[in-house]
Each structure stands twice: as structure tokens, then as C-alpha cells.
């Protein structure tokens, strides 16, 4: 019998009524002949509430107890979903992470999955269970303590189960009906993509299209799990949502698949640092230790042995970055004349595997921005992505102009 994994996010299980709606979809797949593994998130808002309770009780909390508390939201939805299915006469039962067991590292709060032994669940399928409802987001450490996989982690649970059980597909039910060419709140002509390649989805996920946890996409790509993102609020249809799959499954597609943005970026520049071997390590080592997520980096051409170093990071990390640089200066590891922070910038990226075989995407992007009078402050490129930093006030304009210029509203 073929196995299907169906994951329901927080908004899809937010009330008993929604759990019933979700259960009906599960029932339909069972009737189609699948054994189903359902992965559930906590009811929406629940995990945030649990995190607040932990922080209020103990500001410097023991991470093991944090996991014990915040993992509990999923236990509730798993039990309720199993009960709902039983009421519909579908043989189902709930599974907590440690009953599976879903084995993880001991990195509490952001543990990584090591292995999912399938024997326990398979034995129950053999006895007639048709649906295993698994609490997402949680596992068990080698020490036997409860762990969680980081916020948004039930996406990763779902993909890991699909890989372990060789599932035909992993359906991620959420509150959006798929992956779009860009944010429809910014560009009304944004179009839902029928298919997107793993590599593209990985870029979009890490660039801020918050549909899927980035790690879940990495895992799907590694194990070739076909992932479908779809809404649990729309009427069901066979081709609903967006399929995230290998590029060989995608026949025709635009050179650019999508445009993403990060609104709250900052551009920082260290003025006049010594241009010597080891300087980049001396700057970016301490930044990384301070937990600053550096993204783009530009080093100027040097004059008389000195150069400027520019990097981008999230706005809320500017103070932390400044402190790390001041500390490095005081300890004599680096020297600079000044440190500048421009906190009014945004990052825009165009993403598409078609860029590998089509030249001119970058040139076109720059021309479009120049025609709109938008100044580009920093540029970085990879094989399938071009990112620019621009003034934040032009962000919407830039997204719209690029969406038009690359004709993303049209199907290739
Ligand atoms: N409930 C967890 C969270 O809110 C995990 C998840 O929903 O994916 O982060
Ligand atoms: Mg989520």
C-alpha cells in the first residue's frame, strides 16, 4: 500500500471545526487507498504562548524544560486529530515523537533529526491502523529527553517522515494556496506557480518567502521527496497548490521563477581597514560569534594598503554588529576609522534555475531598476539568484517593476 504524508499547519488545526475539515481530507486519501501519516502543528498561537510562559517563568531557562513545554502544543492536536478520525470510523491513533521514536541530536530548541525507525508505525499499519497522527516539531535526544526542531519545525518532521517511509508525496496544508511568483500583497499580478524546483524553493524559503521551513526544503531535495504546498481552506482539487520537485519534472518555465524581498535589512561599512591576509576572518569571525547573520559582502579596491568593507545584515542586529566590531577594535584584532550603518535598505532578489542557461538576467534587472531611478547599493549573485540592496522606500516599486519586466504574470 502506498503511503502519503499530510502535514497540517497551525491555522489548519486552529479550532475543532478546522481539525474536522482537515480530518475529512485525510479520510478522502484513506478512501483512495493510502496509508496516511498525518503530521500536526500546534493550534495557531499556541507555541508562541508556551514560549512566553517559559520566558516569564525563567528568563535563563533550561533548554530541556523549554522543549518539554513548547513541544506540548502538538500533543494536543495529535490526540484531537486521532479522535476526530475515529469519530469518522477511520482507524487512527496518535504518536508523540518519542513513541515513534523520532531520534534527534541533543541540540535543544533546534535539534536535528538523526533517524526515524519505521518499525513501530509499520507494525500498527500491518494491524489495520490507517492513519498515524504524529505530533510534529518534536523528537527525543540520545539522553532520552524531549527535543524540538526549531520554529516551523513540523515542516521538517513531515519531510523526514516522507523520506523514511518512502512516501509517494508529502502534502503541506497551510493557509496559502501555494508558492507565488512574488508576494501578492505587493504585486496583485503575482501568479501561483504549479511547480517549482527544489533549488529555487530553497532560495525563496531562505530569502523570506515564509511558506516552508528552509530545512524542510533541504531535506526534501536531498531525499527527493515530492512536496506539495496547498491550502486547507480551498475546495480540494487534484492539481491544487504548488509542487516542489526535481527540475527534470519541470518542462517549461520562465527564466526567473520568483522575486523575493527582505524589508528590514541594514548595510554596514567599516571605513579604512587594513587590507592584509586574514582581515576578512578577523571581521566576520567575531560577527558570526556574536550571532550576526551576515548576508552580502563587498570589499572595495584598496588604496595604500587600506580598504572599506561593506556587509548587510538584518536591521535588528545592527547594535550587536557594532558592539562586536568595537570589541574587536579594542582588542587590536582589527582597526578601522569609522563604522557606518544604513538602516533604511531592503534586499530584492530574483531567483530562477533558468539563469544557468540564459545570459542577461542581471543586466536586465539593473536596467529595470535604473529606468525607475532606483540606485543599487550592493549586488551579489549566485548561479540561480541575483540580489540587490536598495533604499527601502523603493522596495514595492522595484518588486512591481521587475515582476512586469520579467513577465512573471504569464506562464512560459
Ligand atoms: N508549532 C511549532 C511552531 O510554531 C512548529 C510548527 O508549527 O511547525 O514553530
Ligand atoms: Mg509553518
Amino acid at each position: 500500500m502506498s503511503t502519503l504524508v499530510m502535514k497540517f499547519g497551525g491555522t489548519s488545526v486552529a479550532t475543532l471545526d478546522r481539525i474536522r475539515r482537515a480530518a475529512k481530507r485525510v479520510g478522502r486519501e484513506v478512501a483512495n487507498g493510502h496509508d496516511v501519516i498525518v503530521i500536526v502543528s500546534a493550534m495557531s498561537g499556541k507555541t508562541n504562548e508556551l514560549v512566553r510562559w517559559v520566558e516569564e517563568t525563567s528568563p535563563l531557562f533550561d533548554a530541556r524544560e523549554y522543549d518539554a513545554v513548547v513541544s506540548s502544543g502538538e500533543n494536543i492536536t495529535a490526540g484531537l486529530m486521532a479522535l476526530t478520525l475515529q469519530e469518522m470510523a477511520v482507524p487512527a491513533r496518535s504518536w508523540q515523537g518519542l513513541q515513534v521514536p523520532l531520534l534527534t541530536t541533543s541540540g535543544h530548541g533546534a535539534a536535528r533529526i538523526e533517524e526515524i525507525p519505521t518499525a513501530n508505525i509499520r507494525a500498527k499499519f500491518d494491524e489495520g491502523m490507517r492513519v498515524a497522527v504524529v505530533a510534529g516539531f518534536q523528537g527525543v535526544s540520545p539522553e532520552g529527553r524531549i527535543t524540538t526542531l526549531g520554529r516551523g519545525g513540523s515542516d521538517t518532521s513531515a519531510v523526514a517522515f516522507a523520506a523514511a517511509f518512502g512516501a509517494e508525496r508529502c502534502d503541506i496544508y497551510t493557509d496559502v494556496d501555494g508558492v507565488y511568483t512574488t508576494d501578492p500583497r505587493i504585486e496583485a499580478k503575482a501568479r501561483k506557480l504549479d511547480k517549482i524546483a527544489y533549488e529555487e524553493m530553497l532560495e525563496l524559503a531562505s530569502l523570506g518567502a515564509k511558506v516552508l521551513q528552509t530545512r524542510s526544503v533541504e531535506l526534501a531535495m536531498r531525499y527527493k521527496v515530492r512536496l506539495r504546498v496547498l491550502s486547507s481552506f480551498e475546495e480540494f482539487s487534484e492539481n491544487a497548490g504548488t509542487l516542489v520537485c526535481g527540475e527534470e519534472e519541470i518542462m517549461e518555465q520562465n527564466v526567473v521563477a520568483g522575486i523575493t524581498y527582505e524589508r528590514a535589512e541594514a548595510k554596514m561599512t567599516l571605513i579604512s581597514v587594513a587590507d592584509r591576509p586574514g582581515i576578512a576572518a578577523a571581521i566576520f569571525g567575531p560577527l558570526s560569534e556574536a550571532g550576526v547573520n551576515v548576508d552580502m559582502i563587498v570589499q572595495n579596491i584598496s588604496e595604500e594598503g587600506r580598504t572599506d568593507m561593506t556587509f548587510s545584515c538584518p536591521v535588528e542586529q545592527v547594535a550587536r554588529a557594532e558592539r562586536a566590531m568595537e570589541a574587536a577594535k579594542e582588542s587590536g584584532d582589527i582597526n578601522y576609522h569609522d563604522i557606518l550603518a544604513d538602516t533604511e535598505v531592503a534586499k530584492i532578489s530574483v531567483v530562477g534555475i533558468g539563469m544557468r542557461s540564459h545570459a542577461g538576467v542581471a543586466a536586465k534587472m539593473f536596467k529595470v531598476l535604473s529606468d525607475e531611478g532606483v540606485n543599487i547599493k550592493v549586488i551579489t549573485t549566485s548561479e540561480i539568484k541575483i540580489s540587490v540592496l536598495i533604499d527601502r522606500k523603493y522596495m514595492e516599486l522595484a518588486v512591481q517593476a521587475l515582476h512586469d519586466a520579467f513577465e512573471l504574470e504569464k506562464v512560459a
Side-chain angles (χ1 to χ4, degrees):
M1 193 151 345
S2 74
T3 309
L4 197 65
V5 172
M6 302 172 76
K7 182 253 169 177
F8 293 93
T11 50
S12 306
V13 292
T15 61
L16 298 185
D17 218 45
R18 289 196 186 163
I19 292 178
R20 237 171 272 128
R21 267 183 89 116
K24 278 194 196 134
R25 289 187 187 251
V26 176
R28 184 164 31 217
E29 298 296 357
V30 171
N32 287 342
H34 293 290
D35 276 344
V36 181
I37 298 175
V38 171
I39 310 288
V40 285
S41 290
M43 291 172 155
S44 70
K46 194 69 200 167
T47 310
N48 288 340
E49 179 180 52
L50 295 170
V51 170
R52 279 197 304 274
W53 286 353
V54 168
E55 289 171 346
E56 212 180 301
T57 307
S58 170
L60 298 175
F61 52 79
D62 173 344
R64 292 165 299 192
E65 300 307 342
Y66 167 96
D67 278 351
V69 176
V70 302
S71 63
S72 65
E74 274 72 9
N75 296 342
I76 298 170
T77 35
L80 290 173
M81 176 66 83
L83 287 171
T84 309
L85 287 161
Q86 289 173 2
E87 287 296 322
M88 294 163 45
V90 177
R93 67 156 273 192
S94 66
W95 298 79
Q96 295 188 4
L98 86 169
Q99 295 174 304
V100 174
L102 186 145
L103 307 175
T104 73
T105 62
S106 16
H108 286 278
R112 302 190 74 90
I113 299 173
E114 299 271 35
E115 203 196 331
I116 304 182
T118 57
N120 289 349
I121 287 181
R122 280 201 205 282
K124 291 294 169 192
F125 275 135
D126 290 344
E127 286 171 25
M129 174 185 73
R130 300 299 309 279
V131 183
V133 187
V134 180
F137 179 53
Q138 52 170 267
V140 58
S141 75
E143 294 76 32
R145 302 296 304 257
I146 306 299
T147 54
T148 63
L149 308 177
R151 299 306 305 271
S154 46
D155 293 338
T156 300
S157 305
V159 174
F161 271 91
F165 284 82
E168 185 177 309
R169 209 176 54 238
C170 179
D171 287 345
I172 307 273
Y173 283 92
T174 176
D175 50 4
V176 295
D177 62 354
V179 180
Y180 278 73
T181 50
T182 195
D183 186 343
R185 287 168 302 183
I186 289 189
E187 170 55 74
K189 284 178 281 178
R191 176 174 56 84
K192 181 173 77 70
L193 296 159
D194 291 332
K195 290 182 179 177
I196 187 167
Y198 294 121
E199 287 90 336
E200 292 169 333
M201 191 62 227
L202 204 52
E203 292 289 357
L204 297 182
S206 59
L207 288 171
K210 299 188 173 53
V211 221
L212 289 171
Q213 197 195 36
T214 307
R215 269 171 61 198
S216 71
V217 186
E218 283 167 5
L219 209 60
M221 182 158 107
R222 176 140 26 104
Y223 293 100
K224 301 247 171 293
V225 172
R226 299 167 81 240
L227 258 184
R228 190 166 66 158
V229 178
L230 68 174
S231 164
S232 59
F233 298 96
E234 308 236 314
E235 276 319 302
F236 181 82
S237 75
E238 273 312 318
N239 295 315
T242 300
L243 185 71
V244 188
C245 57
E247 51 188 281
E248 64 286 350
E249 263 196 74
I250 304 176
M251 301 308 259
E252 290 286 352
Q253 120 158 341
N254 291 323
V255 178
V256 171
I259 301 170
T260 59
Y261 61 87
E262 285 286 355
R263 192 185 296 273
E265 289 285 291
K267 179 184 117 188
M268 306 201 61
T269 304
L270 295 175
I271 307 284
S272 186
V273 294
D275 189 5
R276 57 165 172 82
I279 187 66
I283 292 171
F284 295 106
L287 285 172
S288 128
E289 274 157 38
V292 177
N293 298 314
V294 171
D295 178 29
M296 310 164 108
I297 299 176
V298 181
Q299 181 180 337
N300 287 15
I301 215 160
S302 70
E303 243 178 87
E304 287 161 17
R306 302 196 75 83
T307 186
D308 299 339
M309 191 76 88
T310 296
F311 60 90
S312 70
C313 69
V315 162
E316 79 268 10
Q317 295 177 356
V318 165
R320 212 185 293 171
E322 283 171 344
R323 250 178 284 132
M325 291 298 87
E326 280 154 18
K329 189 176 181 180
E330 265 159 41
S331 69
D333 293 339
I334 57 171
N335 197 356
Y336 55 84
H337 286 337
D338 203 359
I339 179 164
L340 308 180
D342 179 351
T343 55
E344 296 294 321
V345 294
K347 180 174 71 178
I348 305 229
S349 307
V350 301
V351 173
I353 48 176
M355 285 183 210
R356 286 195 205 124
S357 47
H358 287 77
V361 176
K364 182 163 173 179
M365 178 178 192
F366 304 153
K367 175 81 168 53
V368 169
L369 294 174
S370 125
D371 288 348
E372 298 291 336
V374 176
N375 187 32
I376 300 172
K377 302 185 160 202
V378 180
I379 303 169
T380 55
T381 65
S382 78
E383 205 187 11
I384 66 161
K385 175 184 74 170
I386 304 158
S387 300
V388 296
L389 223 49
I390 61 172
D391 277 331
R392 187 172 306 137
K393 62 177 182 239
Y394 298 126
M395 193 189 85
E396 278 85 359
L397 171 74
V399 169
Q400 291 156 359
L402 290 166
H403 199 275
D404 272 345
F406 287 106
E407 303 189 321
L408 298 193
E409 76 282 3
K410 294 190 198 146
V411 187

